[in-house]
Amino acid sequence: MSLFLSGDLGDVREAIGLGFAAGQVIGAPAGDPEGKDLRIAFDFDGVLADDESERIMQSDGLEAFHENETENVLIPMHEGRLTDFLRGINRIQDIEEQRQRDDPTYNRRVHVSIVTARNAPSHERVVKTIQSWGLRVNDAFFLGGIEKAAVLGVLRPHIFFDDQRNHLEPAADTVPSVHVPFGIVNQKASESDSTQVHEQVGPLSPETV
């Protein structure tokens, strides 16, 4: 299976736990695409890569995160849940490139972007990691503190994958969005949800058992 998409968060979490590329579809569905191209956008940490760097960000803060990425810039990150999906997309792009060599009038239709909150100096490790995997994207947006929705509104991808819902929800009404519930951020969110449910229900008494 290359990609599992569902509106059911439980099914998606189960697929993620089994190691599959999976995501929960949120927001409005895509309308009829304009033209014949296909634009796909990915977040990086927790989506294409695993969450090893995100864990440092969550535990030690932004400064420690940038220090780690600078010190390890030549060490590729581990692959994430959607790396193989990108690998499959690249194979389609290889076919398109060959067709364009055979027919110069052919316009390539598949376009891949990275849209990430990273910025300098941590952006360099993203580039080197993707190259070490033997993969490629057409362009990358390193936004720092810029709202992703602003860039996505211009880029207009037909689908966007991110591991954090707070990055998806502002754009979900205009950009078909997929939440990938993987990594430390989603682990914390799941634990928080469980705690809230426990507090609402309270401990079981003999009368309620």
Side-chain angles (χ1 to χ4, degrees):
M1 181 172 61
S2 299
L3 180 65
F4 175 76
L5 297 179
S6 173
D8 188 293
L9 180 57
D11 287 347
V12 171
R13 282 178 172 165
E14 182 178 359
I16 287 284
L18 292 170
F20 292 113
Q24 181 189 19
V25 179
I26 65 172
D32 293 333
E34 300 175 1
K36 297 180 179 180
D37 62 331
L38 175 63
R39 299 182 298 278
I40 305 170
F42 297 93
D43 182 28
F44 185 71
D45 295 276
V47 178
L48 291 178
D50 74 1
D51 68 332
E52 58 188 273
S53 296
E54 183 66 39
R55 287 179 177 273
I56 294 173
M57 174 72 174
Q58 294 296 319
S59 63
D60 301 324
L62 182 60
E63 184 176 348
F65 167 80
H66 281 305
E67 288 178 0
N68 179 74
E69 298 309 283
T70 301
E71 292 173 0
N72 296 287
V73 65
L74 298 179
I75 300 176
M77 296 176 66
H78 295 102
E79 295 186 2
R81 288 294 185 267
L82 269 64
T83 315
D84 274 341
F85 180 56
L86 175 58
R87 191 168 280 118
I89 294 169
N90 280 174
R91 286 196 292 269
I92 296 173
Q93 291 180 306
D94 290 340
I95 295 170
E96 284 205 299
E97 288 184 3
Q98 181 59 54
R99 179 166 179 179
Q100 191 174 57
R101 286 192 289 269
D102 296 338
D103 178 9
T105 64
Y106 177 75
N107 293 317
R108 287 179 285 183
R109 300 176 182 178
V110 182
H111 190 98
V112 181
S113 302
I114 286 179
V115 181
T116 173
R118 284 181 180 240
N119 60 353
S122 65
H123 72 294
E124 190 173 356
R125 195 178 185 196
V126 173
V127 175
K128 293 185 180 300
T129 292
I130 291 176
Q131 290 174 340
S132 75
W133 292 339
L135 302 180
R136 65 190 186 280
V137 297
N138 297 98
D139 46 37
F141 300 86
F142 299 100
L143 303 182
I146 299 174
E147 177 67 55
K148 287 186 179 182
V151 173
L152 293 170
V154 176
L155 186 62
R156 304 286 295 181
H158 294 100
I159 192 165
F160 172 56
F161 300 88
D162 200 301
D163 67 320
Q164 298 189 42
R165 290 185 69 97
N166 63 318
H167 290 159
L168 290 163
E169 289 169 350
D173 289 338
T174 55
V175 175
S177 301
V178 176
H179 175 224
V180 181
F182 172 78
I184 185 65
V185 173
N186 291 285
Q187 180 182 333
K188 287 183 175 181
S190 179
E191 291 171 351
S192 176
D193 291 343
S194 298
T195 300
Q196 290 176 5
V197 169
H198 177 74
E199 289 175 348
Q200 290 172 1
V201 174
L204 293 177
S205 66
E207 289 78 12
T208 58
V209 174

